Amino acid sequence: MEADGFVRRRRMTADTSGGDAAVAGASAGAEIHWLGGRFWGVSESLVGTLTPRIAGETELHVGHFYGSQEASDLAEPDYEGLPQGASTSTHMLAGAVAGIMEHCLMFPIDCVKTRMQSLQPEPAARYRNVMDALWRIVRTEGIWRPIRGLNVTAVGAGPAHALYFACYERLKKVLSDIIHPGANSHLANGAAGCVATLLHDAAMNPAEVVKQRMQMYNSPYRSVLDCIRCVWQQEGALAFYRSYTTQLTMNVPFQALHFMTYEYLQELLNPQRQYNPSSHMVSGALAGAIAAAATTPLDVCKTLLNTQESLAIDSVSQSGRHITGLGHAFRTVYRLGGLPAYFKGVQARVIYQMPSTAISWSVYEFFKYVITKHQHEKRRIVRDGEK
């Protein structure tokens, strides 16, 4: 990626056609600064046009030359290098859309994950696997039961992911310039992901509490507002952040692994860092699976803190008390199920996280590309109007 964020070098070859002009292959040395589909002169013998490509759209490059088979490198807009003053809003908008789509599309699996992490489930809520859980929930509780609590999740996911991606992209660039100027730094990626998690979880944690209580078997709450009111009245405002430290303890290593793995796979699968949907999906899915499996014990503790599962509390003679803090949750999980209990629901968590992160990254990169292209087009129109 060029330093100014608007330059991409590309070598291309083409066959000569027609009697008017010929289409030439690549040669060395020229850079074209993007003007949204307009053309700049690269040398006295070349005039080129460039049409950006989105999701399979054909890309046509035409060059004229005189007495030579050489043409200059052509460039496409660098969607990762955004116009000054617009990048943060672009990342926030793309991140919000990606977060909402990710959580909404995968919400039924998330419901299953929450139930399978229950430490003392009722007999009717004991499932063999993810598909068995989905089938039994729909058959016995209704077709809409797996998406109960979806609305509060969507409301929380929008701002949470907007802050998440905007913070990550900004810090990644700043830290990479400090740690490894001019190149990608895995340490910078991990550190940026950790800091972005602080903002994400602060915005998302109350929604997580309400969502997971709505997802539990025989949930006593009639609606999201009823759940919020009951939790506020019976447990206080701090109940919405009771699992925040556990959430951070889980998500900081999760996001560090997630971002480092994603960026590493992007270097392997998409070294030019162009818009490449398949590479974004594969990298996101693998990164999500690795991070999810590694942090499942912390997720089990987070679920216990969020749901305050009554049967689990009663079984360890703590009736009437709340489980507070990560240490308390860890001890409770171990007393109820030993070491295997820390990995309850790991299958559902990985199955949920793989498509979830694949959707999130592919949607985010797509919208980032489209929004950036639109911004470049507006800049071109403004510049044309000034001429």
Side-chain angles (χ1 to χ4, degrees), residues 130-148:
V130 174
M131 294 307 299
D132 175 60
L134 272 176
W135 169 246
R136 287 173 59 185
I137 291 171
V138 170
R139 187 182 62 183
T140 60
E141 302 175 52
I143 191 171
W144 301 113
R145 191 62 179 82
I147 60 173
R148 196 162 183 254

Side-chain angles (χ1 to χ4, degrees), residues 60-363:
L60 178 62
H61 299 267
V62 180
H64 294 273
F65 73 102
Y66 301 90
S68 172
Q69 291 295 318
E70 295 185 350
S72 296
D73 291 356
L74 295 178
E76 66 179 15
D78 180 1
Y79 79 101
E80 295 215 26
L82 304 180
Q84 288 294 328
S87 60
T88 300
S89 61
T90 299
H91 288 308
M92 292 186 75
L93 179 57
V97 174
I100 292 171
M101 290 190 66
E102 167 199 346
H103 283 279
C104 289
L105 291 174
M106 297 305 301
F107 195 83
I109 306 298
D110 187 45
C111 176
V112 170
K113 176 185 75 71
T114 298
R115 292 198 179 191
M116 293 184 74
Q117 287 180 337
S118 175
L119 296 174
Q120 293 288 310
E122 296 188 28
R126 295 176 181 173
Y127 312 109
R128 295 191 302 272
N129 52 51
V130 174
M131 294 307 299
D132 175 60
L134 272 176
W135 169 246
R136 287 173 59 185
I137 291 171
V138 170
R139 187 182 62 183
T140 60
E141 302 175 52
I143 191 171
W144 301 113
R145 191 62 179 82
I147 60 173
R148 196 162 183 254
L150 176 62
N151 48 354
V152 70
T153 301
V155 170
H161 279 73
L163 292 171
Y164 175 69
F165 279 108
C167 179
Y168 171 71
E169 294 281 4
R170 179 65 65 183
L171 284 178
K172 180 180 74 170
K173 184 179 186 306
V174 171
L175 295 177
S176 291
D177 289 342
I178 295 173
I179 298 172
H180 197 176
N184 185 40
S185 169
H186 296 304
L187 179 60
N189 298 333
C194 292
V195 176
T197 300
L198 297 175
L199 297 177
H200 172 274
D201 288 355
M204 193 67 187
N205 209 86
E208 280 283 321
V209 172
V210 176
K211 176 200 74 173
Q212 290 198 306
R213 294 196 180 205
M214 297 289 290
Q215 290 174 332
M216 293 298 289
Y217 180 75
N218 277 344
S219 174
Y221 309 106
R222 297 187 304 272
S223 66
V224 167
L225 292 179
D226 179 52
C227 180
I228 295 173
R229 183 174 59 254
C230 289
V231 172
W232 185 283
Q233 292 175 349
Q234 297 172 13
E235 303 176 43
L238 292 179
F240 293 104
Y241 282 94
R242 185 181 287 128
S243 65
Y244 182 59
T245 54
T246 302
Q247 185 100 338
L248 289 178
T249 305
M250 175 187 73
N251 279 346
V252 165
F254 174 90
Q255 299 299 350
L257 280 171
H258 172 204
F259 281 114
M260 291 172 69
T261 305
Y262 178 82
E263 297 288 352
Y264 173 74
L265 290 172
Q266 281 292 285
E267 287 183 354
L268 296 179
L269 302 176
N270 187 18
Q272 300 302 318
R273 292 306 180 102
Q274 297 174 352
Y275 175 61
N276 187 331
S278 60
S279 77
H280 298 318
M281 292 187 70
V282 171
S283 299
L286 292 176
I290 292 170
T295 57
T296 295
L298 292 166
D299 192 47
V300 171
C301 293
K302 182 208 74 172
T303 298
L304 179 59
L305 286 166
N306 278 344
T307 60
Q308 295 293 306
E309 190 181 344
S310 58
L311 288 177
I313 295 174
D314 293 342
S315 66
V316 291
S317 300
Q318 294 172 331
S319 181
R321 296 177 56 190
H322 297 300
I323 297 174
T324 57
L326 179 59
H328 193 180
F330 255 104
R331 291 193 299 272
T332 302
V333 172
Y334 185 77
R335 289 178 64 182
L336 291 173
L339 290 177
Y342 291 114
F343 289 91
K344 288 180 72 69
V346 64
Q347 179 195 42
R349 180 165 163 77
V350 171
I351 290 175
Y352 164 79
Q353 204 66 53
M354 285 187 70
S356 178
T357 49
I359 291 168
S360 179
W361 277 111
S362 57
V363 171

